[in-house]
Amino acid sequence: MTEIFFSDLTLSDPVMSALEEMGYEHPTPVQASAIPMAATGRDLLVQSQTGTGKTAAFCIPLIESLDSGKGIGALMLCPTRELAKPVADEFDRLGKFKNMRSVAIYGGASMDKQIAEMRFARVAVGTPGRVLDHLRRKTLRLDDLKALVLDEADEMLSRGFAEELHNIMRFVPDERQTLLFSATIPEDIKRYAKRYMKEPEFLSLIEQNVAADDVT
């Protein structure tokens, strides 16, 4: 099997510098497959388990596609605050040399602090409930949104966030890229994809989850 390097994925110098600083040389299977596909701008439905490197698989294409302007250019939804914070931290590390920052939005933390951080953020990472709170208060605006990411989508629906997700979609521009990552693809995920995604490419790496076996 041919060894793949991040340098083989035609990434920009700022992203390559961040990867080098983080010590990343070889993409995981989901990264090697999803990053080039997401870079085309197509909607993407990815089936891959936790621990396979999904976060970088959607963060890197967003950093490459977004300019360094103002406003929230991408929204990433996660089922829990325990996931939202690490995703935001990973984005900040990968976007360091492009001067891109994220804001983590979740319950149990100061709304005022989150509002203040949003002024300097290009990406918002949050849980559905708190994101919806900000949208309704108009403290979070998605007028300039270019991409929407749903991470651990099956987990979000199993936790009862279906109504919040549907309400959030009312604030999301029709013209956007949608990236959906899920460990399983049950019927409710298929219905969600059909309703909110535009002819998504389907990518399944369940048989290649070698990275998950190395996680302790």
Side-chain angles (χ1 to χ4, degrees), residues 160-179:
F161 287 128
E163 184 175 354
E164 285 88 347
L165 289 174
H166 290 313
N167 287 328
I168 288 170
M169 298 307 293
R170 297 175 183 174
F171 295 88
V172 175
D174 290 335
E175 291 301 317
R176 66 177 190 277
Q177 181 181 27
T178 304
L179 307 175

Side-chain angles (χ1 to χ4, degrees), residues 77-153:
L77 295 174
C78 305
T80 65
R81 61 182 293 175
E82 290 78 15
L83 182 60
K85 188 63 170 69
V87 168
D89 290 342
E90 180 89 343
F91 180 88
D92 288 347
R93 287 191 293 269
L94 289 165
K96 174 181 177 180
F97 293 99
K98 204 173 175 183
N99 294 318
M100 283 199 179
R101 297 169 61 181
S102 67
V103 55
I105 302 172
Y106 48 77
S110 167
M111 292 278 285
D112 291 339
K113 183 174 183 290
Q114 292 170 359
I115 292 168
E117 291 177 350
M118 271 186 239
R119 296 204 305 267
F120 306 99
R122 198 71 176 99
V123 168
V125 185
T127 54
R130 179 53 67 94
V131 166
L132 188 57
D133 284 345
H134 278 289
L135 289 170
R136 285 172 170 165
R137 295 183 185 206
K138 297 184 179 181
T139 50
L140 171 62
R141 295 184 177 274
L142 303 179
D143 303 334
D144 299 319
L145 194 81
K146 301 295 189 295
L148 172 69
V149 177
L150 288 90
D151 190 18
E152 305 283 3

Side-chain angles (χ1 to χ4, degrees), residues 21-48:
E21 182 174 274
M22 296 166 71
Y24 293 171
E25 294 183 7
H26 303 280
T28 65
V30 68
Q31 292 164 358
S33 300
I35 290 172
M37 292 176 70
T40 67
R42 292 285 303 272
D43 285 3
L44 195 58
L45 175 59
V46 182
Q47 183 177 13
S48 184

